[in-house]
Amino acid sequence: MNSQESSPFGGGGGLYIHIPFCKQACHYCDFHFSTNMGKKEAMVLALIRELEMRKTEFSNEEVRTIYFGGGTPSVLEASEIDRILAAVHQHYTVIEAPEITLEANPDDLSASKIKELASTSINRLSIGIQSFFGEDLKLMNRAHNAKEAEECIALARTYFDDISIDLIYGVPGMTNERWMANIEKALSFNIPHISSYALTVEPKTALKVFIDKGIIAPVDDELAEAHYRILVEKLTTAGYINYEFSNFGKKNYFSQNNTAYWQGKKYIGIGPSAHSYDRTRRGWNINNNAKYIKAISQNTLPMETEVLSKTDRYNECIMTGLRTIWGVSLTQVKVDFGLDFYAHLLKQVAQKIKEGLLIIEDDHLLVAPKGKFLSDGIAADLFIVNLS
């Protein structure tokens, strides 16, 4: 799309900035990144330019959250972060105290690096721990070791209050006991937010190849479910709120960025492979660093877009809503999608309610504890495929 054309996205909310560089490839990862840092400066300039090119998309609303994702955003220097954030403040109206999150890997978080990050406007760190055990980290091909995993959290707590860590469960060879030890180690640092995901086997990843060749045992869904139930029990007992399927936060420490996503708020994605959404349209940038940089240098947004049908929007509402503690507002379904969609939903949920998988409370459709691990599958069963 040429920069002179009207933008397909309007409104405001969140900015997602994709930093497409990593030191090495994790075996399970299918996100867009490059291990070649040679174009990092050109990429920073392109990100800044895209921010400028798309400023009219938020011309009437405020930026409330800024999220540096990747890739590995912690490969950025503080000066590069400052330049990107300066462009945000130059071209957008930003609320007084936005949540600004930076994803970081433990091997980047030396004492000097953490102090350097604290000198920027970053006020939330999301650290990719994944496991506190060396055998798990080796299987995943993580760049850090178990000692670095522990040390970086202790160091980060000195400078940052709002810290989240990622943990992965369902890893082949990970016993229930080792998973519980992972959780207990995380709790020992008294961090306010934990995100935890089941190991998934994505196409075209090294993990898929190793499993197909018999080098690594297949992922066991029953083991993953057992780990998830342990996770919910341990973290809930420790005072965390499981506000979204994979996310657990202490009171006042929910991720504002992610919550806005699950509640269907608008966001702009900056950088190669980044996605944008404004409730009626979705867009995604090209997932090639060189082509992205070249297009931006020619004042062209390398983005494809699609207009979402009412059915698309309804299905997304069901999918995201059922993953959260807020559920799906039945009244809102009626208002946003009409009586046909509302009637379809009530008909579809009846059997799920009888089976104890769903409940209705205060006019909201929620996943019952029994159905929590199955929430995505339950949501898919409720999708509409033949209404416009």
Side-chain angles (χ1 to χ4, degrees):
M1 184 182 75
N2 190 279
S3 62
Q4 300 305 311
E5 297 172 356
S6 60
S7 168
F9 290 96
L15 285 175
Y16 172 83
I17 301 170
H18 189 76
I19 308 302
F21 300 107
C22 288
K23 290 180 179 177
Q24 65 186 48
C26 299
H27 286 161
Y28 57 85
C29 182
D30 69 341
F31 292 158
H32 171 66
F33 67 91
S34 171
T35 56
N36 181 359
M37 303 284 179
K39 294 185 180 295
K40 186 154 73 88
E41 173 60 19
M43 181 61 67
V44 170
L45 291 173
L47 296 174
I48 290 171
R49 177 60 183 140
E50 187 185 358
L51 282 165
E52 180 182 6
M53 292 167 69
R54 301 183 68 182
K55 61 185 178 181
T56 58
E57 297 177 27
F58 277 19
S59 58
N60 298 317
E61 297 185 57
E62 298 174 314
V63 172
R64 307 191 66 82
T65 63
I66 303 167
Y67 192 98
F68 288 86
T72 310
S74 52
V75 301
L76 293 177
E77 303 297 329
S79 59
E80 294 168 328
I81 294 170
D82 285 338
R83 287 161 59 196
I84 294 170
L85 290 176
V88 172
H89 285 277
Q90 179 183 354
H91 300 298
Y92 298 78
T93 301
V94 182
I95 64 171
E96 185 175 344
E99 177 190 84
I100 307 178
T101 302
L102 182 104
E103 291 182 351
N105 279 350
D107 48 295
D108 291 325
L109 295 180
S110 63
S112 59
K113 180 69 172 187
I114 292 170
K115 188 174 181 180
E116 180 184 328
L117 291 173
S119 72
T120 72
S121 299
I122 300 295
N123 53 29
R124 184 174 184 272
L125 286 184
S126 177
I127 307 175
I129 298 294
Q130 315 310 358
S131 176
F132 291 100
F133 290 89
E135 51 263 59
D136 300 328
L137 298 173
K138 184 176 180 181
L139 181 147
M140 294 183 237
N141 200 39
R142 295 292 291 169
H144 67 278
N145 57 43
K147 182 180 179 183
E148 288 172 323
E150 294 188 36
E151 289 179 345
C152 76
I153 299 175
L155 289 167
R157 293 290 284 153
T158 305
Y159 292 93
F160 290 90
D161 170 59
D162 199 349
I163 295 175
S164 177
I165 68 167
D166 289 353
L167 294 175
I168 292 180
Y169 58 88
V171 178
M174 179 187 281
T175 62
N176 287 349
E177 290 72 25
R178 191 156 88 225
W179 176 233
M180 283 191 280
N182 258 314
I183 298 170
E184 287 164 2
K185 177 62 69 174
L187 292 174
S188 72
F189 292 102
N190 194 32
I191 50 178
H193 191 280
I194 296 173
S195 297
S196 193
Y197 307 94
L199 182 67
T200 55
V201 184
E202 302 292 349
K204 299 180 181 179
T205 61
L207 180 62
K208 177 72 164 62
V209 172
F210 294 151
I211 289 175
D212 288 347
K213 291 184 176 180
I215 298 171
I216 294 176
V219 171
D220 184 336
D221 291 339
E222 290 186 5
L223 177 68
E225 183 172 358
H227 286 180
Y228 181 73
R229 297 194 184 284
I230 291 169
L231 175 74
V232 172
E233 180 182 356
K234 298 279 284 184
L235 294 188
T236 301
T237 300
Y240 291 79
I241 301 167
N242 185 198
Y243 67 102
E244 190 272 343
F245 178 83
S246 300
N247 285 268
F248 302 77
K250 294 287 185 72
K251 186 177 180 181
N252 299 323
Y253 284 96
F254 295 0
S255 166
Q256 296 176 38
N257 174 83
N258 293 351
T259 297
Y261 166 73
W262 295 313
Q263 294 183 340
K265 303 294 177 62
K266 304 171 187 178
Y267 57 87
I268 290 178
I270 302 293
S273 81
H275 283 231
S276 302
Y277 173 75
D278 74 349
R279 295 181 180 162
T280 60
R281 287 159 293 218
R282 188 178 303 285
W284 54 95
N285 286 349
I286 193 169
N287 63 347
N288 180 290
N289 288 3
K291 291 180 180 179
Y292 168 80
I293 291 170
K294 181 178 180 181
I296 294 296
S297 71
Q298 296 172 344
N299 291 323
T300 299
L301 293 178
M303 179 171 62
E304 293 184 51
T305 62
E306 66 173 338
V307 176
L308 301 175
S309 68
K310 183 189 285 190
T311 297
D312 292 333
R313 291 185 283 112
Y314 170 86
N315 290 344
E316 184 152 325
C317 168
I318 299 300
M319 174 63 78
T320 56
L322 289 184
R323 289 181 64 93
T324 73
I325 59 171
W326 304 286
V328 177
S329 167
L330 297 179
T331 296
Q332 203 62 44
V333 167
K334 192 186 303 183
V335 171
D336 290 348
F337 303 105
L339 291 176
D340 286 348
F341 283 75
Y342 176 72
H344 172 87
L345 179 59
L346 291 184
K347 181 179 178 181
Q348 291 296 100
V349 303
Q351 184 60 37
K352 303 290 185 186
I353 291 173
K354 285 183 181 179
E355 294 170 0
L357 299 175
L358 293 173
I359 55 175
I360 294 177
E361 288 184 356
D362 298 326
D363 197 47
H364 282 73
L365 181 67
L366 304 162
V367 175
K370 177 182 175 182
K372 193 164 241 184
F373 189 74
L374 308 172
S375 60
D376 284 351
I378 293 169
D381 289 342
L382 304 180
F383 285 174
I384 289 176
V385 295
N386 57 357
L387 288 178
S388 59

